[in-house]
Amino acid sequence: MATAKILNPTLEPKNSHSERDRKKLDAIFETQVTEVSCSETDGDKLVVSPYSDEPHLLDLKTLDTANQVLAKALVDLKCLREDYATAPYVEIFNWDEVIDTVRKLSVTTNFNWTERSFYIVVFRSRIPPTTVYADLGVLDKAAHAEATLSGGFLKYWFGKPDETGRNLATCVWRSLEDARTGSVGPAHAAAAIAARHLYDEWKIERLRLTINDGVRGFDISNWVNRESKLLPIMAEVPLNSVQVEALVVMKIVKACAASFPTITTGSIVGMDVNGTLQITNSFPFPAADVASSDSHPNDHMAASNIAAAAPRSKANVAYQNEMIKCLREVNVDANNVGWYTSANMGNFINTSLIENQYFYQKEINERTVALVHDVSRSSQGALSLRAFRLSPTFMAAYKESKFTTEHMQKTKLTYKDILVELPIIVHNSHLLTTFLHQLPAPPPQGELDFPASLADLTKDSPQVPLYPNVESLDISIDPYLEKTCDQLLDSIETHYTELNNFQYYQRQLAREQVKVTAWKTKRAAENATRAAQKQPLLAEDEWERLFKLPTEPSRLEGMLNARQVDQYSRQIDGFTASITSKMFAVKSNLLPDQ
């Protein structure tokens, strides 16, 4: 059995494709538009891809008659459009000619064709200038050899990138089961990992090719199973947790503390592994020049407002892309997985957070989160680092800007549906974990005997000394709790302000509707009189020009403020639990009469 050799992809330091790689890709692409006679080989082997050596040939003896007929007909598959990278899939290839060939081969072989379906995978991508074509060729060829050995791989075609780097590749499989079997090997796993470095973006489409009885027609549609649900094969696993490297945590804490109380934002990079978003690096966005961008350079709130909008500004987007290119050149994780921001006293739920996260989460194949580091809370001795995503319901409403009372009642959207919090896991390397275990123990005075076995390593574990914490006995009210209560009261006042504004809108609308109703009644009476006098009737929709109904204000600000009130309430609940227990313990001293 032939085996595929997997090579680790490398990246050239130059930011442009070499002319030699471009010519190689053109040569491979041209092999797909040759005559049918050039694609057939002797015996039962068939060339069904740009690769013509032995591990890539389709063995017709492993197929039944129907799949043999389709595989031979797919040799005629040709691209009809130059914009195939973005065009609708049905319009890209000469499917009418392919199905006509199926019909002729069925007649020639005396085969009675009955309706059957085939599985199609479409891979659309955009290749950055830093990607080396040789790396793509190594990964693609190994993956194709692996898929061919699994069986049922009837056709493979790929184009060459256009001037913007966009490209398309497609596979035709005998069945969904064959596609599953052919995509779980080590070559496909290596290609999936490298895709995050070699592509700027990619999208997978799953289609069904149905050829009717007697080859009277065909149809290409989304692949749907019997329960009319899209199959999850090769689909992204939903994010369920976030794993942050300890070094990244330290970098975020340092960057946020250095500019406190001004808001700090930055980008985070990493990759998604089986639903766990692994964050392996981060870098802050450049500090904004407040003096040149705001009329009050001494006001730190102006700087915070500029910094809060930094993740979606054009300058920082370009800066982020340039940084990711530099990381890609040194073969470091260079896939953007979101952004981070600092917060003060738990005050972070605002329009800037929503706009920034929506900016990242709306992208194709996005796997992004927003990390929020509360500097004030962390200064109390407990790390405050949280990960959030916008919920799908809120994403749909925000995309259409529908935050009216009617739409929110229809979709049952509440302040609880704005953000989805993911658990965070702080990850240390094995070397750092070993160092941390040895850190509390005093250094040995004499020479150490080397352990003779693994049991000796686990037998004498180092004793961790106990460090007394006298501060835990302090019964004074935490100042953080006092400030949180003050901010909670401010948020409640803001809530009442929003409520008063909405009630004012309702009163204005009611007054205008009374005027409109009176006008309609009067116009109806006038038309009744004119109808009795056989005169032309007056227009009854003229009120739309005479009266202007007030526009309902967006409820988004009210929802965000309600979510912020909920955030403050949870913080207060967490602090009062410990303080109440201390007060109960010393109740006899506080109440001398008892």
Side-chain angles (χ1 to χ4, degrees), residues 389-591:
R389 281 173 58 85
L390 298 179
S391 66
T393 306
F394 183 83
M395 283 287 296
Y398 192 84
K399 181 179 180 180
E400 300 177 359
S401 299
K402 290 185 177 180
F403 291 101
T404 61
T405 304
E406 180 183 359
H407 185 267
M408 293 174 60
Q409 290 178 346
K410 182 178 179 181
T411 59
K412 297 181 180 180
L413 180 64
T414 65
Y415 70 92
K416 297 181 181 179
D417 302 322
I418 299 177
L419 295 174
V420 177
E421 185 172 3
L422 301 177
I424 288 184
I425 304 171
V426 179
H427 177 262
N428 290 324
S429 64
H430 296 299
L431 183 61
L432 181 58
T433 302
T434 303
F435 174 75
L436 292 177
H437 278 290
Q438 296 176 351
L439 188 61
Q445 302 298 328
E447 295 184 359
L448 298 177
D449 296 331
F450 289 100
S453 63
L454 181 61
D456 293 341
L457 290 175
T458 59
K459 180 176 61 176
D460 299 325
S461 58
Q463 299 295 325
V464 180
L466 297 177
Y467 296 98
N469 185 8
V470 183
E471 295 180 357
S472 60
L473 302 177
D474 187 8
I475 63 174
S476 62
I477 301 298
D478 196 328
Y480 187 84
L481 175 60
E482 297 178 5
K483 294 179 181 179
T484 304
C485 290
D486 292 338
Q487 290 185 335
L488 175 60
L489 294 176
D490 293 338
S491 296
I492 293 176
E493 291 180 1
T494 304
H495 170 73
Y496 278 112
T497 301
E498 292 288 336
L499 182 61
N500 291 334
N501 292 337
F502 185 74
Q503 291 176 347
Y504 175 77
Y505 154 75
Q506 289 180 319
R507 290 193 297 268
Q508 288 290 100
L509 180 62
R511 282 195 291 264
E512 293 297 324
Q513 287 178 340
V514 169
K515 295 179 182 179
V516 171
T517 303
W519 185 90
K520 289 183 177 180
T521 304
K522 181 180 178 182
R523 178 55 57 92
E526 292 178 355
N527 283 336
T529 304
R530 298 176 68 91
Q533 299 175 358
K534 297 183 180 181
Q535 296 180 357
L537 301 181
L538 300 177
E540 295 186 357
D541 57 353
E542 193 176 352
W543 67 270
E544 298 178 357
R545 180 177 58 86
L546 299 176
F547 301 95
K548 185 177 181 180
L549 297 179
T551 304
E552 180 179 355
S554 175
R555 306 305 302 275
L556 177 60
E557 288 293 339
M559 289 181 60
L560 295 179
N561 187 72
R563 183 64 174 82
Q564 186 64 66
V565 170
D566 179 72
Q567 169 67 20
Y568 287 145
S569 301
R570 293 177 184 273
Q571 291 179 181
I572 293 175
D573 181 65
F575 277 101
T576 54
S578 60
I579 294 177
T580 303
S581 61
K582 295 177 185 179
M583 293 296 182
F584 181 79
V586 296
K587 181 177 65 173
S588 59
N589 293 331
L590 296 178
L591 301 175

Side-chain angles (χ1 to χ4, degrees), residues 88-90 117-122 124 176 203-210 219-226 228-231 233:
Y89 184 80
V90 182
S117 299
F118 304 88
Y119 185 65
I120 298 178
V121 178
V122 185
R124 300 182 189 266
L176 173 63
K203 180 181 180 182
I204 297 177
E205 301 174 8
R206 303 162 189 85
L207 306 176
R208 178 192 296 270
L209 169 63
T210 303
D219 178 65
I220 297 178
S221 59
N222 289 329
W223 183 273
V224 180
N225 63 8
R226 295 179 180 178
S228 300
K229 298 180 181 179
L230 292 177
L231 287 173
I233 177 66

